[in-house]
Structure formats: C-alpha cells, structure tokens
Amino acid sequence: NHSTARIAHSPSTMVQTNTNKRSTLLLLSLFFGILYNTTQALPGTCSDGTAVGYSDYASLTTDALLSEGGETFTICPGVTLDASDGGAFTSSNILIECPTMDCTITSSDTVSAVSVISENNVTFSGVTFAGFSTEDAAIYVNTRELSNTTEIGAVYFEECSFINNTLNENSTLVYVVGHITIEDCVFEGNSGFLIVGVEEGDIAVHSSVFTDNTSGGTLLYSYPFNGMSITDSCFVGNSGLVLAYPDPDQGSYVKESSNNYAVYNDVMFCPGIVDGSSCVFFDAPVCAVTSDDVDDDVDDSSPPSMAPSVAVMSTPAPSASPSASPSGSPIMATPAPVAATVTDSPVTTTSAPTAATTAGASSISFMTTASVVVAAALVHIV
C-alpha cells in the first residue's frame, strides 16, 4: 500500500507553527493572491458525533500547509469541500483521505483549483473530485517547484473518483509536473482538452476505469522523455483523437501496456496507446476491474475490440509538438481532414479503396493521418 509507507504519525503530533512554513505561506500569498492563515486549525468532531476530521477546505489546507510532513488528514464523512475556500497543499509525505469514500471536493467558481505544490509524495485516497468548471486545470500538481534537487516527486490518487467535471475546451482535468500514479480510480463524464496531462514525470495507471469522458485531444498525455504505463484498466464510451498519447516527438514512450479493455469509444485514430509510430490497441476480452468498482457502462459481457492488436504508421510522426516550457492552456489547432473514425471495431475508411483491403492495411492509412492531426492538436499544453 503506497499510503501506509508514507505516514509517520497522526495529526495530533502536528507542529503548531514554523518559521519556514510561515515564510512559505507569505510567498504563496504573493504568488496566488490569497491570504493564508498561519494558525493551525486542527480537525474537529464531525457531524456524526464520532468521527474526527475536517469539514471545510480552508481548515484542511491550512493544517496541511503547516505540516512538517508524514501526517494523515482525514475528511469528515459525507461532506463537500469547496476549493474556492482554501489554497495549496505544500507539505511532503502527506495523505488526504476519506475512509468512508463519500467525501467530495468541488469548486463554486471557475478559477479555483486543487493545487499541490510539494517536494514529494502527496496522496489522495477515497476522495471524489466533482463539479469543477474551471478555466484552467481543475487539479494542478507540481512536485518539482519546491525541490532543492534535480529529483522530482510524485502524487498518488488511490480509490478516487473524478465525476462530471466540465472544463474549458482548452483545459486539463488533472495536470501534473512530476510523477503520478492512478490506482483503482474512476473517471466518468468529464470533458476538457486533456483528462490527465503529465509533464516531466512518469504516469502509471492501474486498475482504473475511464467511461463517458470527452476529450478534445487525448485522455492521457505525457511529455517530455517520460514513460506511460497502463495496466488492467477499462475504457468505455470515451471520445477524442486517441485514448493515450505518450508524445513520441518529445521522447516519451510506453513503459507498459497490458490487459486493458476498450469498447464503444469514439476516437478518430487510436483506440489504445500510441507507441512511437504504432498504435497498440486495448484488446483485453473483459474488463479486469470488478463490477462493484465500475460504472454500469462497463459490462464484462461486451464484445472486445475487433481491431488488430498493432497498427503501424506508414510515416514517422511530424515534428510539431508541445513546447518544452509551456506557459498557457492547451490550444487546439484546427485539425486536418481525417480519413477515418475509429469506434473499437474494424476500421472503415472514407477514402478510395486500395489494393490492400485488410483491417491492418486500413489502419496504416488512418494512422498516417493521425500522426499529423494529433501532433497539430497538441501543439501547446498547459
């Protein structure tokens, strides 16, 4: 369990105030334009009269900011926290948990986001992120900003849900500078340019479900020179250009892709993960995630993809790609005309027939166009 290894002691041992932390808060106040409290709030008795935890976002972020690390912050059962009430999480080696799996973090405005500016190891467990309609990333994580070394940290989402977040068409739901691990999570009914975007660090997705998400680009994106791993995960009823895109022009690559299930996805090109000049289809016969953990849209009896397991691009990807030092929201370029639409079934092209009539040959045709359009669309990432 990732969480247990990182927790050293409970909130009761938290240091009340700290000169360095206060200085950090003042700097954050200048950076974010928010006046942070430098007095510890401490968790209180929840509305059920028995549990002890946090019932408002301001108290939660204040205590997390003042933390010396190695602590657990428990959210009260059944509460909804408003991210517009608080600031950023800046401590390392902390766990924000909802043991009852019924806590929600949302935002009542279009500018506030869940922000994590930390050196390393921040974990969210059992938390639902829902109802965000932000103009930029709804969840922004940077585990390099405060680091004194060349090493970058990690954020972990375990048994979390991301539900019905409707973002600006150029925005990203979860944007991470650093490493990210997504395990036993559900992404359902979200829309934006990217669902998860990762810069510099590796991305690992395990035993998670993506259903009914709408992306102007791709659900999962990473760059530069980082690896993407997707295992035992399910993709149902999503739309976009491709499902997963470790940017080959930026030196990103597939570390692992295994036992992933995909049906009824409306994608232009690759119903799987782009690996260099190839599309590796998600073609597991059933969803590996148990039915108790997924939405009704995922039906283990659904037919698997009939597409070939690997489709090869006939030409290398073009050089157009995201800036190495992005400075704004992702901008969707006007896509070139496309030759085909992929819906997890044998590819049907709209171009004139050629001598090659197999599904594999058709895949070569649409992947050539895909290399042009995807690179053009992902010209500028947050």
Side-chain angles (χ1 to χ4, degrees):
N1 187 311
H2 296 296
S3 307
T4 305
R6 289 191 295 275
I7 305 307
H9 49 281
S10 66
S12 63
T13 63
M14 293 171 61
V15 175
Q16 291 291 324
T17 55
N18 176 278
T19 302
N20 291 335
K21 283 291 179 181
R22 287 183 173 180
S23 299
T24 299
L25 292 175
L26 292 174
L27 290 173
L28 287 169
S29 297
L30 294 173
F31 184 77
F32 287 102
I34 299 172
L35 182 61
Y36 289 99
N37 193 348
T38 57
T39 302
Q40 193 173 18
L42 296 176
T45 302
C46 301
S47 60
D48 61 5
T50 57
V52 175
Y54 294 88
S55 57
D56 69 276
Y57 195 76
S59 296
L60 173 63
T61 54
T62 294
D63 284 2
L65 282 163
L66 294 170
S67 169
E68 292 300 301
E71 295 158 10
T72 298
F73 300 88
T74 302
I75 302 173
C76 286
V79 303
T80 297
L81 307 182
D82 190 339
S84 66
D85 293 336
F89 298 93
T90 62
S91 297
S92 296
N93 302 309
I94 61 172
L95 167 65
I96 298 96
E97 66 168 5
C98 177
T100 53
M101 306 283 289
D102 60 354
C103 314
T104 300
I105 298 179
T106 188
S107 179
S108 60
D109 60 38
T110 60
V111 295
S112 299
V114 175
S115 298
V116 178
I117 313 295
S118 174
E119 291 182 15
N120 200 10
N121 294 351
V122 174
T123 299
F124 292 89
S125 177
V127 179
T128 294
F129 302 87
F132 282 86
S133 57
T134 51
E135 297 174 358
D136 294 311
I139 301 165
Y140 175 77
V141 179
N142 190 324
T143 57
R144 185 170 186 173
E145 189 72 21
L146 301 181
S147 177
N148 294 321
T149 70
T150 57
E151 297 294 324
I152 56 177
V155 62
Y156 301 83
F157 292 96
E158 300 171 353
E159 298 184 288
C160 291
S161 297
F162 304 79
I163 308 295
N164 296 333
N165 297 287
T166 305
L167 307 182
N168 182 288
E169 64 181 4
N170 293 325
S171 298
T172 300
L173 175 58
V174 181
Y175 193 83
V176 178
V177 180
H179 303 298
I180 178 175
T181 295
I182 298 169
E183 186 165 1
D184 299 320
C185 292
V186 174
F187 291 76
E188 178 184 355
N190 305 291
S191 63
F193 187 73
L194 306 176
I195 302 304
V196 180
V198 181
E199 178 183 343
E200 298 188 18
D202 291 343
I203 173 173
V205 179
H206 180 67
S207 295
S208 295
V209 175
F210 296 78
T211 177
D212 297 329
N213 300 288
T214 302
S215 167
T218 174
L219 270 64
L220 303 172
Y221 177 81
S222 66
Y223 85 108
F225 305 108
N226 52 6
M228 182 180 292
S229 301
I230 307 174
T231 58
D232 299 325
S233 295
C234 308
F235 297 77
V236 179
N238 304 287
S239 63
L241 297 179
V242 299
L243 293 179
Y245 193 81
D247 195 332
D249 276 345
Q250 291 288 314
S252 297
Y253 57 94
V254 177
K255 293 184 72 173
E256 182 179 6
S257 177
S258 64
N259 199 34
N260 298 307
Y261 174 83
V263 292
Y264 310 128
N265 296 290
D266 183 13
V267 294
M268 285 188 179
F269 306 114
C270 179
I273 184 169
V274 173
D275 185 9
S277 60
S278 301
C279 171
V280 179
F281 287 78
F282 296 154
D283 57 0
V286 296
C287 178
V289 182
T290 58
S291 59
D292 290 342
D293 298 329
V294 301
D295 185 81
D296 291 338
D297 286 347
V298 179
D299 178 2
D300 285 355
S301 65
S302 300
S305 168
M306 296 299 293
S309 59
V310 178
V312 180
M313 292 182 183
S314 60
T315 59
S319 58
S321 57
S323 167
S325 301
S327 58
S329 298
I331 299 174
M332 181 76 173
T334 303
V338 300
T341 297
V342 178
T343 57
D344 295 341
S345 59
V347 176
T348 302
T349 65
T350 57
S351 57
T354 63
T357 58
T358 65
S362 298
S363 298
I364 291 174
S365 175
F366 82 73
M367 287 305 297
T368 300
T369 305
S371 68
V372 177
V373 177
V374 172
L378 299 172
V379 166
H380 192 194
I381 302 300
V382 189

